Amino acid sequence: MPRALPRPRSPLAAVRRWYEEELHWPTTGTEPVELLTGVRFDVLEMPADAGRAVLRRLPYPGPVALLRPAHGGKRPQDRPKLLLLIAPGGAEELPGILEWLEWGTLAADLTARGPGGRMPAPAPPSGCRPSGGFGAREAAGWVRPPRPGYEALDSLPATGIGAGIGDGGGAPDLVRLVSAAATECHRARLGRARNGQSDRACGAQPLAFSYASRMSAGTRPRSLTL
């Protein structure tokens, strides 16, 4: 009687095992594998062109992922996104920080994933196959992968004297990070408008930099800067 051969282990199982056993990050029980946000980390999400500019401006050492829609297109929602992993609680703080910085009109460009949310699980740096499967709407890859034992950086808001410096080995706090991200989202939107790429689906186009960005650019008295 022929003996049944063991079924090969799914590459998705290896992806899930790496996140759950190496990083201790919770995942969904679905295929493709997704990471649950709001538990070990939240996610700050922005267009990829703006995100790259933020990484050039700030010493951000945390994990960063690139998110691409499975079916590319010219619509604003089809553009690649950059995902910056931040400390849990940051997603809840984002709307208030944007209002405080007078960047409320950028809500469609600069968003966050927190409790109850999820993100596609990028392929681990160990060489496992990507976790995106047939019919997946998004696929992600690590620009800067996490390290085993990684804890989300302490990037929750701080205000007052010294705000924006951060205490996590040079990492920016959330206020400084959001300020830089909002400014770069605005610049990227203006650049796309000059190139004839409409962002009307993302809301009205601001005609000038916000009060906060003008302060950061040095066009306000230094005593008023962040």
Side-chain angles (χ1 to χ4, degrees):
M1 183 175 181
R3 185 178 61 180
L5 296 176
R7 299 179 63 182
R9 302 188 69 172
S10 166
L12 298 181
V15 172
R16 183 177 290 108
R17 186 170 61 253
W18 187 80
Y19 282 106
E20 293 183 347
E21 297 181 7
E22 296 292 330
L23 299 181
H24 304 290
W25 289 3
T27 67
T28 62
T30 59
E31 294 187 4
V33 182
E34 294 181 296
L35 305 176
L36 298 178
T37 59
V39 182
R40 296 292 298 274
F41 60 87
D42 285 357
V43 170
L44 193 63
E45 181 174 347
M46 66 198 76
D49 49 1
R52 295 188 193 99
V54 171
L55 295 181
R56 289 193 295 267
R57 286 182 57 180
L58 295 177
Y60 185 79
V64 179
L66 179 66
L67 183 66
R68 294 183 181 276
H71 305 287
K74 296 182 178 180
R75 300 175 302 171
Q77 57 266 38
D78 293 331
R79 297 192 182 106
K81 301 291 184 68
L82 211 64
L83 308 182
L84 277 63
L85 272 60
I86 59 175
E92 183 180 2
E93 299 290 344
L94 177 62
I97 295 175
L98 285 173
E99 289 296 331
W100 184 67
L101 294 173
E102 297 186 0
W103 275 121
T105 57
L106 282 172
D109 283 346
L110 185 58
T111 59
R113 305 187 188 200
R118 58 186 64 187
M119 63 170 278
S126 57
C128 295
R129 294 180 185 178
S131 61
F134 178 78
R137 293 175 299 173
E138 303 170 309
W142 286 118
V143 175
R144 185 183 300 149
R147 305 176 303 274
Y150 171 83
E151 294 286 349
L153 295 171
D154 183 14
S155 56
L156 293 177
T159 57
I161 297 176
I165 302 302
D167 298 321
D173 65 23
L174 189 58
V175 172
R176 185 184 182 197
L177 182 59
V178 170
S179 179
T183 299
E184 296 302 338
C185 283
H186 182 76
R187 287 173 174 165
R189 183 183 283 191
L190 290 176
R192 290 191 293 268
R194 286 194 297 268
N195 294 329
Q197 303 177 35
S198 174
D199 268 1
R200 291 182 180 178
C202 287
Q205 166 66 47
L207 297 179
F209 285 107
S210 76
Y211 180 77
S213 68
R214 293 197 302 271
M215 291 193 297
S216 299
T219 57
R220 302 293 297 174
R222 180 174 294 275
S223 62
L224 296 178
T225 57
L226 291 175

